[in-house]
Amino acid sequence: DLPNSLVAGDRASIYLVEDAEPGSFPSDPELIISDINLGAIERKESNFGADVAITVAVGRTEVLDILRATTFGRLVVVKLNG
């Protein structure tokens, strides 16, 4: 998930929102990586929703954290102001 106002070059943070088990209280969002510059943003609309792909430049150690987070729930990109 990312805001429609987000454009390439913006600074952002990425949070993980884990899928909650049915009937259980959801866990708090987890900060995966903070203060990154967004590269390209591709938005693809379809009849069943939308897909979004972003390109970010991160260090070698952050790559695994980001990829691992994609298997546990939803990644939410939050634009940083200031």
Side-chain angles (χ1 to χ4, degrees):
D1 297 341
L2 72 152
N4 286 332
S5 63
L6 204 64
V7 296
D10 282 346
R11 290 178 30 240
S13 293
I14 299 177
Y15 289 84
L16 168 64
V17 178
E18 290 188 28
D19 295 329
E21 295 292 324
S24 68
F25 194 76
S27 61
D28 290 336
E30 178 183 342
L31 178 63
I32 300 300
I33 190 165
S34 182
D35 201 7
I36 57 170
N37 285 320
L38 296 176
I41 300 174
E42 273 186 57
R43 292 178 169 94
K44 296 179 185 178
E45 301 291 328
S46 73
N47 292 337
F48 301 107
D51 288 329
V52 177
I54 61 172
T55 303
V56 296
V58 297
R60 188 177 313 188
T61 57
E62 288 94 4
V63 171
L64 293 179
D65 292 337
I66 294 170
L67 292 176
R68 190 176 299 114
T70 64
T71 65
F72 290 106
R74 229 172 60 232
L75 295 183
V76 178
V77 179
V78 177
K79 182 177 178 178
L80 299 178
N81 291 318

